[in-house]
């Protein structure tokens, strides 16, 4: 495994060294190198430095240029305008750098210098409840961040903080006690997610109806909550049945999403029960939380309600029950203390931002989040329908996630079938799942998480535009070219002069490592999606302008172009895998 310095970092180093010798007092100054449409790169940092040193920027720029050797890496460098540097690099440097990338399984992408441990909290469904379109974003964004961070060498601990505790379980458990066969299965064979959810849904509706209409049942259900919280064995055993039945359903949905969720990573609200009393005691003893009307609260000057009074974070209610805050604070204690996290990421709906600001601030005051640990809410926006309003069914119900995924796969099947020349029905079904689920994930990930996005299946499975299908077809097309290339092999030829489309593609391929570092640091999977879309677009231009197989270019040119094709395919495949999307070899 060899990390390959990018062309940009090599050019940056050359310019920075020349700058340091031309203006020693600016030692280590940043030349502000950017990609440019006038040359390959432009360095814009000289203006500010000259101003600071009271020097003439154009003269300083000229001195810097005189100190930079050209030939191997830099072909030419010129001073433009008031002191910008326009830098063009050699074709040889482009191909040699790409050849070094191609020789490495990680495409020359370096590991992070100081990796830490990130605990990422995502995909948080609720026990005994159907997953809906809102759960999609947390799962998809979280899973992509896990892959991106792990690729940089970070140790990642996944946490699925499922809603598996609370007062509604009193109602459910009491009902199951009185109707003991409601969760029985039709046969001993493997239970489908649909059957599990249908059992849970029926029981939930029936128990809710009884709870609302029968005062005596309501009293028994409330007493059952007390038994649950006290850990009474029979109550806990029935509670566990709800959790197990729900997991059959959850895992079937995550399986459809082509997502790997391990049982050990599912630590729900119940996982922190034993810590709640201690969490409250620590907060109260340290004075971080105070009693107010019987409840244990944390107050903040900056968060006020509509009446102008401070909005507190309620850790324990006046009746002794614990709020979400107590669980979330206990989870922070566990993640920092036991899991040794240096970063905590919560992939949670933006509407919970105030709650998380208060929780993080409370944990800092209590000393559970030190300066060496950062806690971030990777907040995401709402999924909208085509009409720009929150996504609902025609009846105004929340959209079931399963229905949505099934429909995406169905749409994808017709797109794949239309294009398929030599695929069997089984292959069409397999590709349809890869294209349909990929389309849903990509639509989510290609928008910045914080923004709302419109869920439009027609657009998502379109072969043109910024869609995963466009990227998957680019990948499959390259595989087909490589299969058809006969005895020609992808070989890098640094001695060749490159066409403009080859250079543009090559320079973009070289930026993959820097892009990954940026996406990891900013928790921004949409940047990976944008990079891949641009890569596929540049490849399309290259393919149109530079014959690869027909009409046959001369041997070395053909080999070099096949080499660019192959590296493009590998970069697309790696980038898509980081987003959780498959790249079929044939489409």
């Amino acid at each position: 495994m060899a990390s390959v310095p990018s062309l940009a970092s090599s050019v940056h180093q050359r310019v920075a060294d020349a700058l340091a010798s031309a203006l020693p007092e600016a030692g280590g100054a940043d030349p502000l190198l950017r990609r440019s449409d006038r040359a390959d790169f432009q360095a814009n940092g000289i203006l500010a430095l000259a101003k600071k040193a009271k020097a003439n920027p154009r003269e300083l720029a000229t001195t810097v240029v005189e100190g930079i050797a050209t030939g191997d890496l830099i072909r030419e460098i010129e001073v433009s305008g008031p002191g910008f540097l326009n830098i063009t690099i050699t074709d040889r440097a482009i191909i040699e750098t790409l050849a070094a990338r191609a020789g490495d399984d990680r495409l020359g992408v370096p590991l992070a210098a100081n990796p830490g441990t990130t605990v990422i909290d995502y995909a948080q469904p609720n026990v005994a409840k159907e997953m809906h379109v809102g759960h999609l974003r947390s799962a998809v964004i979280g899973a992509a961040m896990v892959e991106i961070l792990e690729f940089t060498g970070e140790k990642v601990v996944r946490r699925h903080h499922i809603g598996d505790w609370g007062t509604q379980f009193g109602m459910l458990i009491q009902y199951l006690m009185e109707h003991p066969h409601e969760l029985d299965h039709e046969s001993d064979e493997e239970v489908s997610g649909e059957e599990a959810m249908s059992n849970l849904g029926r029981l939930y509706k029936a128990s809710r109806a009884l709870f609302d209409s029968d005062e005596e049942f309501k009293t028994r259900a409330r007493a059952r909550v007390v038994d649950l919280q006290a850990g009474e064995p029979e109550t806990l055993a029935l509670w566990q049945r709800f959790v197990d039945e729900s997991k059959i359903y959850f895992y079937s949905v995550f399986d459809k999403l082509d997502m790997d969720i391990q049982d050990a990573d599912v630590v729900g609200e119940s996982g922190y029960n034993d810590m709640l009393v201690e969490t409250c005691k620590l907060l109260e003893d340290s004075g971080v939380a105070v009693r107010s009307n019987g409840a244990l609260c944390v107050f903040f000057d900056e968060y006020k309600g509509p009446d102008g009074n401070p909005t507190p974070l309620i850790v324990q209610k006046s009746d002794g029950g614990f709020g979400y805050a107590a669980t979330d604070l206990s989870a922070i204690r566990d993640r920092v203390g036991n899991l040794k996290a240096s970063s905590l990421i919560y992939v949670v709906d933006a509407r919970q931002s105030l709650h998380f600001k208060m929780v993080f601030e409370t944990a800092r005051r209590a000393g559970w989040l030190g300066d060496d640990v950062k806690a971030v809410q990777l907040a995401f926006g709402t999924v909208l329908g085509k009409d720009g309003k929150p996504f609902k069914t025609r009846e105004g119900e929340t959209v079931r996630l399963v229905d949505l995924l099934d429909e995406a796969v169905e749409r994808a099947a017709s797109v794949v079938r239309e294009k398929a020349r030599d695929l069997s029905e089984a292959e069409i079904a397999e590709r349809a799942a890869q294209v349909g689920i990929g389309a849903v994930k990509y639509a989510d990930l290609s928008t910045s998480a914080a923004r709302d996005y419109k869920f439009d299946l027609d657009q998502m499975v379109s072969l043109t535009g910024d869609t995963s299908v466009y990227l998957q077809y680019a990948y499959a097309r390259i595989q087909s070219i490589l299969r058809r290339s006969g005895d020609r092999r992808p070989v890098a030829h640094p001695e060749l002069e490159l066409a403009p489309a080859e250079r543009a593609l090559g320079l973009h391929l070289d930026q993959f490592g820097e892009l990954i570092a940026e996406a990891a640091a900013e928790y921004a999977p949409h940047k990976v999606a944008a990079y891949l879309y641009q890569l596929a677009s540049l490849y399309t231009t290259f393919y149109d302008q530079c014959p690869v197989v027909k009409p046959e270019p001369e041997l070395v040119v053909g080999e070099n172009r096949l080499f660019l094709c192959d590296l493009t395919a590998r970069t697309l495949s790696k980038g898509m895998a980081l987003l959780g999307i498959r790249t079929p070899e044939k489409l």
Side-chain angles (χ1 to χ4, degrees):
M1 192 198 82
S3 90
V4 178
S6 69
L7 293 161
S9 66
S10 304
V11 171
H12 184 281
Q13 194 57 54
R14 294 269 177 106
V15 179
D17 291 349
L19 193 51
S21 64
L23 194 66
E25 62 269 34
D30 186 350
L32 298 180
L33 196 71
R34 304 270 177 276
R35 283 296 307 278
S36 164
D37 47 7
R38 293 165 186 237
D40 295 332
F41 297 99
Q42 189 172 64
N44 301 339
I46 290 175
L47 289 178
L49 288 170
K51 198 172 175 187
K52 210 167 155 192
K54 300 196 168 35
N56 176 318
R58 217 180 142 84
E59 281 171 17
L60 176 60
T62 308
T63 313
V64 170
V65 169
E66 284 163 2
I68 297 176
T70 55
D72 57 338
L73 170 66
I74 295 175
R75 189 171 80 206
E76 62 178 316
I77 179 165
E78 56 167 30
V79 180
S80 144
F84 301 127
L85 300 184
N86 284 341
I87 302 162
T88 304
I89 53 181
T90 63
D91 292 350
R92 173 177 286 279
I94 293 175
I95 296 297
E96 280 176 349
T97 301
L98 295 183
R101 292 200 179 288
D104 176 45
D105 285 345
R106 290 176 50 85
L107 302 174
V109 176
L111 291 163
N114 301 303
T117 298
T118 294
V119 176
I120 179 161
D121 185 326
Y122 68 108
Q124 311 103 342
N126 292 313
V127 164
K129 287 192 182 162
E130 184 105 50
M131 287 175 73
H132 56 77
V133 69
H135 292 117
L136 176 71
R137 298 212 73 186
S138 176
V140 169
I141 295 166
M145 273 324 307
V146 167
E147 295 298 329
I148 292 167
L149 289 168
E150 282 189 335
F151 187 55
T152 66
E154 185 79 359
K155 179 186 175 192
V156 179
V157 182
R158 302 155 170 81
R159 276 292 172 266
H160 308 294
H161 190 88
I162 63 172
D164 64 354
W165 204 249
T167 50
Q168 78 274 19
F169 283 98
M171 170 184 97
L172 294 167
I173 292 166
Q174 188 60 36
Y175 189 88
L176 188 59
M177 265 183 167
E178 295 172 18
H179 305 79
H181 299 296
E182 281 295 303
L183 286 182
D184 293 356
H185 296 136
E186 289 163 21
S187 70
D188 294 336
E189 286 165 36
E190 199 175 331
V191 183
S192 71
E194 277 294 306
E195 188 192 327
M197 193 59 237
S198 126
N199 278 348
L200 290 163
R202 195 179 55 246
L203 196 151
Y204 193 90
K205 282 190 182 122
S207 65
R208 167 56 71 190
L210 199 57
F211 187 85
D212 290 342
S213 63
D214 182 333
E215 281 304 317
E216 288 178 0
F217 176 75
K218 188 182 275 192
T219 306
R220 295 196 297 278
R222 287 192 166 140
R224 187 61 55 201
V225 177
V226 178
D227 293 340
L228 177 64
Q229 292 180 333
E232 191 274 315
E234 190 191 1
T235 306
L236 271 184
L238 289 173
W239 167 81
Q240 190 63 49
R241 280 193 69 187
F242 280 100
V243 174
D244 293 343
E245 193 79 4
S246 297
K247 281 183 174 178
I248 296 173
Y249 162 69
F250 295 159
Y251 293 161
S252 75
V253 179
F254 289 126
D255 199 45
K256 255 188 218 281
L257 266 171
D258 194 13
M259 213 171 261
D260 178 34
I261 301 252
Q262 298 293 330
D263 214 46
D265 302 332
V266 180
V267 183
E269 293 168 359
S270 63
Y272 306 100
N273 281 344
D274 298 346
M275 301 173 72
L276 300 179
V277 172
E278 190 187 11
T279 294
C280 291
K281 186 176 179 342
L282 290 168
L283 290 170
E284 193 166 9
D285 290 353
S286 63
V288 172
V290 293
R291 291 277 163 194
S292 171
N293 299 330
L296 186 63
C297 302
V298 183
F299 287 93
F300 307 86
D301 293 337
E302 61 268 43
Y303 306 128
K304 295 190 169 49
D307 54 3
N309 292 328
T311 302
L313 182 71
I314 299 171
V315 186
Q316 191 177 18
K317 301 171 199 161
S318 52
D319 65 4
F322 299 102
Y324 289 126
T327 310
D328 286 335
L329 288 162
S330 300
I332 288 177
R333 287 176 55 210
D334 174 60
R335 290 165 184 185
V336 176
N338 299 328
L339 300 175
K340 306 289 180 236
S342 47
S343 300
L344 302 175
I345 306 178
Y346 293 78
V347 189
V348 182
D349 190 316
R351 287 171 290 198
Q352 294 187 43
S353 294
L354 178 61
H355 170 77
F356 279 101
K357 278 181 187 150
M358 290 175 159
V359 165
F360 296 159
E361 175 60 22
T362 300
R364 290 215 180 277
R365 290 181 190 177
W368 303 330
L369 275 180
D371 294 339
D372 50 345
V373 184
K374 70 171 168 181
V376 178
Q377 182 194 357
L378 207 178
F380 55 81
T382 309
V383 181
L384 307 172
K386 283 188 195 180
D387 57 3
K389 297 186 178 131
F391 200 23
K392 295 268 194 281
T393 63
R394 288 202 184 93
E395 297 72 43
E397 302 281 312
T398 313
V399 179
R400 295 172 68 219
L401 186 49
V402 178
D403 294 344
L404 207 71
L405 299 178
D406 288 346
E407 194 185 339
V409 172
E410 218 172 283
R411 295 282 182 91
S414 59
V415 171
V416 173
R417 182 170 278 112
E418 205 175 293
K419 281 279 205 178
R421 292 193 189 89
D422 48 356
L423 295 180
S424 67
E425 275 304 310
E427 284 176 315
I428 288 175
E430 184 199 10
R431 302 293 194 282
Q434 295 176 343
V435 170
I437 298 302
V440 170
K441 288 182 178 180
Y442 187 84
D444 196 314
L445 293 168
S446 57
T447 309
S448 159
R451 289 173 52 193
D452 299 344
Y453 83 97
K454 283 186 186 173
F455 198 93
D456 179 349
L457 275 175
D458 295 325
Q459 169 55 37
M460 286 180 192
V461 297
S462 162
L463 295 171
T464 53
D466 189 1
T467 66
S468 67
V469 198
Y470 174 65
L471 303 182
Q472 286 168 322
Y473 265 105
Y475 176 81
R477 180 203 241 172
I478 296 173
Q479 295 310 318
S480 148
I481 290 167
L482 294 169
R483 285 192 295 272
R484 292 199 325 263
S485 60
D487 50 5
R488 295 189 166 200
R489 290 283 154 263
V491 181
H493 286 281
E495 72 279 6
L496 290 176
E497 196 174 310
L498 298 178
E502 291 174 304
R503 296 186 96 251
L505 179 63
L507 286 166
H508 191 68
L509 281 167
D510 184 53
Q511 288 177 294
F512 186 57
E514 286 168 351
L515 161 95
I516 296 298
E518 199 176 304
E522 296 174 20
Y523 306 137
H526 70 279
K527 292 200 163 180
V528 178
Y531 171 89
L532 295 172
Y533 175 58
Q534 203 184 342
L535 179 60
S537 306
L538 287 166
Y539 178 78
T540 304
T541 307
F542 155 80
Y543 185 74
D544 289 346
Q545 295 179 6
C546 305
V548 178
V549 181
K550 293 179 192 156
E552 270 192 22
E554 59 176 287
L555 182 64
V556 289
V557 174
E559 288 181 340
N560 199 56
R561 286 176 182 170
L562 280 172
F563 161 73
L564 286 171
C565 288
D566 187 48
L567 187 56
T568 299
R570 285 174 58 194
T571 307
L572 275 172
S573 182
K574 182 74 225 172
M576 295 284 265
L578 295 178
L579 298 180
I581 300 172
R582 296 192 183 263
T583 38
E585 300 290 306
K586 278 185 185 173
L587 267 179

